[in-house]
Amino acid sequence: MTAAHIIYWMSPDQPISLADDLAARSDELLLDLLQARPDLASPPPPGVAVLAQRALSAASINRCGEDLDVLSVAVLETLGALRRASGGGAVTAAAITEALSERADTAAIGARIDSLAALALIWGPADALQTGPHMPAAWPWRSALATAPINLLDLASIREKIDRLGERERDLLTTLSTGPGLGRTRDAALGPDSNRPVPQLIAQNMLVVVDDQTVELPVVIGQLLRDEEPAEPTPLRPPELTGAGGRKIGLGEVDAAAAGEALEFLRHSTDALEALGAQPATVLRAGGMGVREIRRLTKVVSVDEKRMGLVLEVLSGLRLIDSGFPVPDISDGLEPSWAPTTSADSWIHQSSERRWFSIASAWIDLHRRPWQIGDRTPEGTIIGALVGSIPEGAARAERMLVLQALAEAKPGAAVTPTSLGRQIAWRHPRWIRRLSQATIAETLSEAQALGLVAHGALTSAGREIVAAGSAEDVETHTLAAMARSIPAPIDFFLAQADQTITAPGPLTPELTADLSLVADLESGGAASVYRVSEASVRRALDAGRTGTELLAFFTSHSKTPVPQSISYLIDDVARKHGQLRVGVASSFIRCEDPTTLAAVLSSPVAESLSLRALAPTVAVTSETLIDVLDQLRAAGFAPAGEDATGELVDLRFRGARLPTPRERQSARKPSLSLPSRERLGAVLTHMRSQDAANSATLVGPGKGGSSVTGGGLPATALLQKALNSKSTVRLGYVNAEGFASRHVVVPRLIGAGQVIAVEPGGDDEHRFSLHRITTVEMVD
């Protein structure tokens, strides 16, 4: 049973108030109202009358209007128009249905009337519906645009009207279409006989009068002037989500394609972290990262600047990179730099689906739009990376609107940006002027780059990440969906004769680390290609691997026989590697082959290092160990570093790091928590209690009744009297927050500065501090 049914059964002789209407509703219906409009419950209203006052306030109605679709707005506009036509009288539901019957289905109109009644935006029986004076606050616009006369025409006719306009009129409409659609002018009060542009446009229904000095541009005209593709304005039915045509694809194919994009984005993110660790990027004076640094990163990671901007913004949102003075600091503390945080090391070793979930969640929660990097602000300044935020929540709300609209399509069904824009405009008309087609297209492009969307459809993981539920449930279900989409990691590869290594699927993290040490990545993706070279083998030997260990690694993991080209290369590099040993003297060079050391001493590098021979197999220098290694390698030798015990040491640079900020964002920030139904039940109980207290019948003086104002001994004495006679009293009480309330209770116990009481007919005990009781009154 809906709220509307209960309201319609009432047939008072005179219009009822919203307070009377709410008082007649059941607890379940009031709980539905508080859950749909949670602002009404904070702070808990002291009775239904206060609840009704809040529900009628312009601020609360405005918040409620955020969730109204175009048909609901049209019902409110029609109700308002019919009330004005009747001189402010009540309106029947049948009249609203008849007025909109040619534009919407009768059942849909009735459902909207029931829904608006449940929200307390309208009330009364079906033959006498009413609304409050601030109802226009629920509209997405200042005037009644959903029911404006221009919307009774089709798009072709509206385009013809626009094409027939003069230059002055068209320029005026074009100016209004680029802003909120409102214009201030004294010409709004002029009649249709005036030859000025505004009165002429009003006469043609191409501008709507708000008041004597304000006009508003109809939504559909603004969309056409912005070269958008709106839906036909006459039908008040939700537009269908349509695709671009072509062959039909299934959800499995969508998930597979998105998984490849997700893995590629994870690889680019990891490469960006390594590049910033090896060489942190200087922070600009105005904040953010400069174009030169971004271009350097694009070359290292092999992506374009647009994708690099998205990667950097997401990593920053997840606090995997930050600005500060990293260790080691290449600037010597002179200026801050962008570098990975310590959290990056643990993030890199997480599973692919968990890393993807953190990346996707960080993107959804970003307060900036990465696709705007490089564009110009209205003031003409260039929008840089990692700088210049937009108002809190706006960008996130845009992404959620786009993803949730995609989720309404059938699983695996492709949806065009134009169709998606029409759907969002119908379900959320307040976003028509804020969410342009370009923004929708760019948001879809970013979602596709992250693996949330593929082939124009939302993936299984994308549906889970925008689903309703607790943060824990959303994370669990999303991780499970992405784990099913990403191919299972493999622990093998294919070694080729051209010294390339082909991985036919994503490798396990351990195998990826080992293979990256001995080979260089040439092509990433779901299937990746690596190349073994003399430099990559030397890198593995420098890290402490031996030639025998490298051959065993390829033999144990390659599904194909190890080609001779790879085994010969490893043997050749390993034979030369380490003949020269560099230690700390400041540094020393030792070599078991006197001929090799003699070649070093006779080369030009000996002079630059200031080498001094101590023996046929030993030489020393004042240069550091790293400098000696670098210069010898540049001269064509293959030295290896060793420690004091003669063991090889891994001298690879581990990358600069910054401490993770304390305010680091979680992988998925919980959405704004709404009060639970149990908590709202307590609010409702308090409200009912206040109504009962306010309507209680007091005992008259002639019946032995009495009352006390203020606490102290008189109040305690009257409470003791009620306790002894098991009588009911009405208490005036002020809690610790200063909130005043009334309670009708039966005292059970008085002591220790407190009164323990129960409500009449109930068993739940309530405790009241004696010093906070303001009045005590006996109740009949």
Side-chain angles (χ1 to χ4, degrees), residues 432-451:
I432 290 178
R433 292 190 176 107
R434 289 185 281 175
L435 192 59
S436 65
Q437 291 284 356
T439 299
I440 294 174
E442 292 290 354
T443 302
L444 286 174
S445 177
E446 290 185 351
Q448 182 170 331
L450 272 80

mmCIF file of all heavy atoms in Angstrom, residues 432-451:
data_model
loop_
_atom_site.group_PDB
_atom_site.id
_atom_site.type_symbol
_atom_site.label_atom_id
_atom_site.label_comp_id
_atom_site.label_asym_id
_atom_site.label_seq_id
_atom_site.Cartn_x
_atom_site.Cartn_y
_atom_site.Cartn_z
ATOM 1 N N ILE A 432 21.449 18.716 -17.138
ATOM 2 C CA ILE A 432 21.398 18.921 -18.594
ATOM 3 C C ILE A 432 22.392 19.985 -19.029
ATOM 4 O O ILE A 432 23.113 19.823 -20.017
ATOM 5 C CB ILE A 432 19.969 19.319 -19.018
ATOM 6 C CG1 ILE A 432 19.023 18.122 -18.855
ATOM 7 C CG2 ILE A 432 19.955 19.805 -20.466
ATOM 8 C CD1 ILE A 432 17.580 18.434 -19.198
ATOM 9 N N ARG A 433 22.456 21.099 -18.303
ATOM 10 C CA ARG A 433 23.354 22.188 -18.695
ATOM 11 C C ARG A 433 24.766 21.981 -18.161
ATOM 12 O O ARG A 433 25.708 22.614 -18.633
ATOM 13 C CB ARG A 433 22.804 23.520 -18.195
ATOM 14 C CG ARG A 433 21.511 23.961 -18.887
ATOM 15 C CD ARG A 433 21.158 25.395 -18.517
ATOM 16 N NE ARG A 433 19.986 25.877 -19.240
ATOM 17 C CZ ARG A 433 18.780 26.052 -18.694
ATOM 18 N NH1 ARG A 433 18.607 25.778 -17.416
ATOM 19 N NH2 ARG A 433 17.766 26.488 -19.415
ATOM 20 N N ARG A 434 24.930 21.117 -17.148
ATOM 21 C CA ARG A 434 26.262 20.929 -16.553
ATOM 22 C C ARG A 434 27.045 19.796 -17.197
ATOM 23 O O ARG A 434 28.272 19.824 -17.220
ATOM 24 C CB ARG A 434 26.106 20.656 -15.048
ATOM 25 C CG ARG A 434 25.668 21.855 -14.244
ATOM 26 C CD ARG A 434 25.655 21.538 -12.755
ATOM 27 N NE ARG A 434 24.469 20.795 -12.366
ATOM 28 C CZ ARG A 434 24.257 20.305 -11.155
ATOM 29 N NH1 ARG A 434 25.177 20.451 -10.226
ATOM 30 N NH2 ARG A 434 23.148 19.661 -10.863
ATOM 31 N N LEU A 435 26.335 18.782 -17.682
ATOM 32 C CA LEU A 435 27.009 17.600 -18.217
ATOM 33 C C LEU A 435 26.848 17.586 -19.736
ATOM 34 O O LEU A 435 25.844 17.134 -20.270
ATOM 35 C CB LEU A 435 26.406 16.338 -17.603
ATOM 36 C CG LEU A 435 27.158 15.017 -17.820
ATOM 37 C CD1 LEU A 435 28.565 15.114 -17.253
ATOM 38 C CD2 LEU A 435 26.416 13.868 -17.181
ATOM 39 N N SER A 436 27.868 18.074 -20.428
ATOM 40 C CA SER A 436 27.803 18.182 -21.886
ATOM 41 C C SER A 436 28.116 16.841 -22.537
ATOM 42 O O SER A 436 28.630 15.910 -21.906
ATOM 43 C CB SER A 436 28.799 19.232 -22.375
ATOM 44 O OG SER A 436 30.135 18.812 -22.096
ATOM 45 N N GLN A 437 27.809 16.759 -23.832
ATOM 46 C CA GLN A 437 28.126 15.547 -24.583
ATOM 47 C C GLN A 437 29.630 15.300 -24.615
ATOM 48 O O GLN A 437 30.082 14.155 -24.573
ATOM 49 C CB GLN A 437 27.580 15.679 -26.010
ATOM 50 C CG GLN A 437 26.068 15.648 -26.110
ATOM 51 C CD GLN A 437 25.492 14.245 -25.962
ATOM 52 O OE1 GLN A 437 26.237 13.281 -25.859
ATOM 53 N NE2 GLN A 437 24.180 14.142 -25.942
ATOM 54 N N ALA A 438 30.406 16.379 -24.681
ATOM 55 C CA ALA A 438 31.868 16.225 -24.701
ATOM 56 C C ALA A 438 32.355 15.615 -23.387
ATOM 57 O O ALA A 438 33.240 14.748 -23.391
ATOM 58 C CB ALA A 438 32.528 17.574 -24.941
ATOM 59 N N THR A 439 31.795 16.055 -22.269
ATOM 60 C CA THR A 439 32.193 15.499 -20.974
ATOM 61 C C THR A 439 31.848 14.021 -20.893
ATOM 62 O O THR A 439 32.634 13.207 -20.384
ATOM 63 C CB THR A 439 31.499 16.268 -19.842
ATOM 64 O OG1 THR A 439 31.889 17.635 -19.886
ATOM 65 C CG2 THR A 439 31.875 15.691 -18.491
ATOM 66 N N ILE A 440 30.670 13.635 -21.386
ATOM 67 C CA ILE A 440 30.268 12.231 -21.374
ATOM 68 C C ILE A 440 31.225 11.399 -22.222
ATOM 69 O O ILE A 440 31.677 10.320 -21.804
ATOM 70 C CB ILE A 440 28.824 12.090 -21.872
ATOM 71 C CG1 ILE A 440 27.851 12.764 -20.897
ATOM 72 C CG2 ILE A 440 28.451 10.627 -22.069
ATOM 73 C CD1 ILE A 440 26.419 12.792 -21.381
ATOM 74 N N ALA A 441 31.558 11.890 -23.416
ATOM 75 C CA ALA A 441 32.456 11.147 -24.299
ATOM 76 C C ALA A 441 33.845 10.994 -23.680
ATOM 77 O O ALA A 441 34.452 9.906 -23.743
ATOM 78 C CB ALA A 441 32.551 11.852 -25.656
ATOM 79 N N GLU A 442 34.371 12.053 -23.074
ATOM 80 C CA GLU A 442 35.701 11.970 -22.464
ATOM 81 C C GLU A 442 35.681 11.052 -21.242
ATOM 82 O O GLU A 442 36.642 10.315 -20.989
ATOM 83 C CB GLU A 442 36.177 13.367 -22.060
ATOM 84 C CG GLU A 442 36.462 14.306 -23.225
ATOM 85 C CD GLU A 442 37.693 13.900 -24.008
ATOM 86 O OE1 GLU A 442 38.405 12.955 -23.586
ATOM 87 O OE2 GLU A 442 37.968 14.540 -25.044
ATOM 88 N N THR A 443 34.608 11.088 -20.471
ATOM 89 C CA THR A 443 34.497 10.196 -19.319
ATOM 90 C C THR A 443 34.463 8.741 -19.757
ATOM 91 O O THR A 443 35.099 7.878 -19.148
ATOM 92 C CB THR A 443 33.229 10.537 -18.512
ATOM 93 O OG1 THR A 443 33.287 11.905 -18.089
ATOM 94 C CG2 THR A 443 33.117 9.641 -17.284
ATOM 95 N N LEU A 444 33.726 8.451 -20.823
ATOM 96 C CA LEU A 444 33.697 7.085 -21.355
ATOM 97 C C LEU A 444 35.076 6.661 -21.852
ATOM 98 O O LEU A 444 35.482 5.502 -21.681
ATOM 99 C CB LEU A 444 32.685 6.993 -22.494
ATOM 100 C CG LEU A 444 31.207 7.011 -22.097
ATOM 101 C CD1 LEU A 444 30.332 7.062 -23.337
ATOM 102 C CD2 LEU A 444 30.863 5.788 -21.257
ATOM 103 N N SER A 445 35.807 7.593 -22.461
ATOM 104 C CA SER A 445 37.148 7.278 -22.953
ATOM 105 C C SER A 445 38.075 6.902 -21.800
ATOM 106 O O SER A 445 38.846 5.935 -21.894
ATOM 107 C CB SER A 445 37.710 8.468 -23.734
ATOM 108 O OG SER A 445 39.030 8.218 -24.168
ATOM 109 N N GLU A 446 38.011 7.665 -20.703
ATOM 110 C CA GLU A 446 38.835 7.339 -19.544
ATOM 111 C C GLU A 446 38.409 6.009 -18.919
ATOM 112 O O GLU A 446 39.253 5.209 -18.496
ATOM 113 C CB GLU A 446 38.755 8.458 -18.512
ATOM 114 C CG GLU A 446 39.450 9.737 -18.939
ATOM 115 C CD GLU A 446 39.469 10.787 -17.844
ATOM 116 O OE1 GLU A 446 38.802 10.594 -16.802
ATOM 117 O OE2 GLU A 446 40.151 11.812 -18.028
ATOM 118 N N ALA A 447 37.096 5.781 -18.851
ATOM 119 C CA ALA A 447 36.611 4.518 -18.286
ATOM 120 C C ALA A 447 37.083 3.334 -19.131
ATOM 121 O O ALA A 447 37.395 2.264 -18.589
ATOM 122 C CB ALA A 447 35.087 4.532 -18.199
ATOM 123 N N GLN A 448 37.150 3.520 -20.434
ATOM 124 C CA GLN A 448 37.641 2.451 -21.293
ATOM 125 C C GLN A 448 39.136 2.225 -21.082
ATOM 126 O O GLN A 448 39.602 1.081 -21.082
ATOM 127 C CB GLN A 448 37.360 2.799 -22.753
ATOM 128 C CG GLN A 448 37.797 1.726 -23.739
ATOM 129 C CD GLN A 448 37.299 1.994 -25.144
ATOM 130 O OE1 GLN A 448 36.259 2.612 -25.328
ATOM 131 N NE2 GLN A 448 38.043 1.529 -26.139
ATOM 132 N N ALA A 449 39.885 3.294 -20.892
ATOM 133 C CA ALA A 449 41.322 3.162 -20.666
ATOM 134 C C ALA A 449 41.615 2.400 -19.373
ATOM 135 O O ALA A 449 42.619 1.691 -19.278
ATOM 136 C CB ALA A 449 41.972 4.541 -20.610
ATOM 137 N N LEU A 450 40.732 2.518 -18.385
ATOM 138 C CA LEU A 450 40.938 1.830 -17.118
ATOM 139 C C LEU A 450 40.342 0.431 -17.091
ATOM 140 O O LEU A 450 40.533 -0.296 -16.117
ATOM 141 C CB LEU A 450 40.336 2.640 -15.968
ATOM 142 C CG LEU A 450 41.251 3.688 -15.328
ATOM 143 C CD1 LEU A 450 41.307 4.951 -16.166
ATOM 144 C CD2 LEU A 450 40.807 4.028 -13.930
ATOM 145 N N GLY A 451 39.600 0.037 -18.120
ATOM 146 C CA GLY A 451 39.013 -1.293 -18.131
ATOM 147 C C GLY A 451 37.664 -1.375 -17.463
ATOM 148 O O GLY A 451 37.222 -2.466 -17.097
#
